[in-house]
Amino acid sequence: MRFVVTAGPTREPIDPVRYLSNRSSGKMGYAIAEAAAEAGHNVLLISGPVNLAAPKSLELISALSSDEMYDVVHRHLDGTDVVVMCAAVADYKPATVSAHKIKKQDQALSLELIPTRDILASLGKEDRQFLLVGFAAETNDLEKNARQKLQQKNCDIIVANDVSTITSGMETDENEVTILLRDGEIKKIARAPRA
Ligand code: CTP
């Protein structure tokens, strides 16, 4: 089968030297991509900026910003059987990107942020030919919020991750997740190393 897996954060540029991003390490997406490749699948890993070695035996394409990741994902859907949207895509980006480095001033600085395009939601079309797996990073009401995301983004599966503690969630080496299926089934996966 052909897998497309996204991983890591995105960077939303503010000016030539600054950006908005988040704490995603990319470990989860890389582990999923490597596991799928080891199981004999054809895997394309689309990765935001991370400090991880490129896994062997799979194709890797880098995407820095949410717009770049949106375009790369959409360009590689042909013949894909499973899309796993593990990337922590930024929800907002600066309304304008300054062409020059923004100079320091004495007064407060406000940045206007606008929503990014939701890649997962854009893939949740009724006539799609692939299984769509989304992730939900939640600090509260994990199952309720994840179920809502599954419905709103029209996924087949949502993997819900509690990011409220320091022992699971972002930047940790181990993780535990709750998997919600479209038909209402729920599977809890106990704590395990990511790779
Ligand atoms: N996602 C995406 N494009 C975005 C934002 C999120 O494809 N612009 C995807 C992520 O890859 C993940 C899922 O949407 O699979 C859920 O991301 P999450 O951050 O948990 O939820 P949000 O939709 O951003 O909602 P909120 O931040 O309000 O919880």
Side-chain angles (χ1 to χ4, degrees):
M1 288 208 285
R2 165 86 171 156
F3 278 66
V4 169
V5 180
T6 67
T10 62
R11 284 182 186 170
E12 309 305 321
I14 297 169
D15 70 14
V17 298
R18 303 184 178 97
Y19 55 80
L20 290 174
S21 193
N22 60 63
R23 287 170 43 200
S24 169
S25 67
K27 285 176 190 164
M28 173 80 88
Y30 273 56
I32 291 169
E34 285 182 281
E38 272 164 29
H41 299 293
N42 172 316
V43 180
L44 169 63
L45 174 59
I46 300 172
S47 177
V50 296
N51 285 315
L52 298 172
K56 295 186 184 73
S57 71
L58 56 80
E59 191 188 347
L60 174 74
I61 299 181
S62 298
L64 269 187
S65 65
S66 57
D67 283 328
E68 220 179 305
M69 191 173 279
Y70 182 102
D71 291 341
V72 176
V73 169
H74 278 270
R75 276 203 306 273
H76 291 86
L77 292 177
D78 272 0
T80 295
D81 301 294
V82 183
V83 177
V84 183
M85 274 301 305
C86 193
V89 184
D91 287 333
Y92 293 93
K93 64 177 184 177
T96 55
V97 181
S98 170
H100 305 289
K101 186 181 168 201
I102 298 169
K103 283 290 178 197
K104 183 171 61 184
Q105 291 175 344
D106 286 339
Q107 61 269 46
L109 172 73
S110 295
L111 271 182
E112 190 190 350
L113 301 179
I114 56 172
T116 57
R117 289 179 288 177
D118 193 310
I119 305 171
L120 182 62
S122 74
L123 298 172
K125 303 225 170 67
E126 284 304 331
D127 62 349
R128 67 172 178 267
Q129 301 295 311
F130 49 80
L131 185 93
L132 184 57
V133 183
F135 277 70
E138 307 293 347
T139 55
N140 55 289
D141 300 316
L142 183 85
E143 279 177 28
K144 181 170 158 269
N145 287 337
R147 171 80 42 209
Q148 211 168 33
K149 253 170 221 175
L150 184 145
Q151 284 159 356
Q152 279 168 356
K153 304 196 188 194
N154 200 24
C155 305
D156 298 296
I157 298 172
I158 281 272
V159 182
N161 198 358
D162 180 352
V163 290
S164 66
T165 65
I166 53 164
T167 52
S168 68
M170 289 188 167
E171 293 179 316
T172 57
D173 287 326
E174 291 190 334
N175 205 5
E176 56 185 301
V177 295
T178 303
I179 298 179
L180 293 91
L181 308 187
R182 206 178 175 64
D183 64 6
E185 196 184 333
I186 294 181
K187 293 178 195 232
K188 288 193 194 295
I189 309 293
R191 172 169 302 280
R194 287 175 200 258

